[in-house]
Amino acid sequence: SHAFCHGTHFYLQTVIDSGSLRERMVAQIFDSPTDYSQDWVNWPLDGSGYSFLRPFVNRSTRAFLETFKRSATQHYNQLCLQFSHGHPVGAPSLFLHSLPDPVGPPAMVEGIVHTWREKLGYDVRTKCWDDSPHVQHARKYPEEYWATVTELLAECKI
């Protein structure tokens, strides 16, 4: 599995709902997982050519989360807790992230990695870039990104 940003939580929900999928998973790659427990609505639009949309996107996202707090927001928060405290798939995992990411802060990623490694005994690897924007690691550092991904896949015989 190779999940990006919010896809991490959709992947987690799918895995929780499907025991057969969980048993067949041999590797997991998480690129810029989102931290739903924080005020993550500060979308990284800088450098995209659309930074002028930031206020609109932030207000819209806040409105969505407040409007659907009972159904969506609480569900996302519960998934975040499940993801960070014990993922149902113990397959080798790779977290790709960056220091300046406002949506998936390094402290959150490293906290998950620590829990999975130290408390659950999972094989977890990380690659953290100093300056790549949210979900832009493959674009900014294509050779390093794909070499890191390929290394995990090769070790898992994929």
Side-chain angles (χ1 to χ4, degrees):
S1 168
H2 195 159
F4 295 89
C5 188
H6 303 296
T8 299
H9 296 86
F10 296 118
Y11 162 72
L12 177 60
Q13 186 63 58
T14 302
V15 167
I16 289 170
D17 292 344
S18 174
S20 63
L21 176 64
R22 183 174 42 242
E23 294 165 7
R24 295 184 311 219
M25 201 60 60
V26 294
Q28 306 173 102
I29 302 167
F30 302 103
D31 185 326
S32 305
T34 302
D35 184 0
Y36 283 103
S37 68
Q38 291 191 17
D39 182 17
W40 55 270
V41 298
N42 295 314
W43 293 96
L45 297 172
D46 296 334
S48 67
Y50 298 101
S51 58
F52 65 93
L53 292 174
R54 181 186 302 277
F56 171 75
V57 171
N58 290 348
R59 282 193 305 273
S60 299
T61 304
R62 286 179 202 277
F64 171 82
L65 292 174
E66 190 57 40
T67 302
F68 297 102
K69 191 170 193 162
R70 296 178 106 193
S71 59
T73 309
Q74 289 177 351
H75 179 71
Y76 292 147
N77 287 338
Q78 184 62 33
L79 281 175
C80 184
L81 284 173
Q82 288 176 330
F83 185 68
S84 62
H85 295 297
H87 188 35
V89 178
S93 304
L94 171 63
F95 283 84
L96 304 161
H97 63 108
S98 63
L99 293 177
D101 191 343
V103 181
M108 182 269 309
V109 174
E110 294 301 329
I112 293 170
V113 168
H114 174 77
T115 298
W116 287 19
R117 275 185 191 150
E118 303 304 319
K119 294 182 180 175
L120 302 174
Y122 292 171
D123 176 6
V124 184
R125 304 136 197 237
T126 63
K127 176 63 184 162
C128 182
W129 285 272
D130 292 334
D131 61 348
S132 78
H134 180 69
V135 195
Q136 297 295 315
H137 322 306
R139 182 177 292 172
K140 186 157 185 170
Y141 298 102
E143 290 177 22
E144 190 175 1
Y145 182 95
W146 292 111
T148 304
V149 168
T150 302
E151 181 181 331
L152 173 69
L153 297 178
E155 288 179 20
C156 293
K157 299 186 181 5
I158 297 177

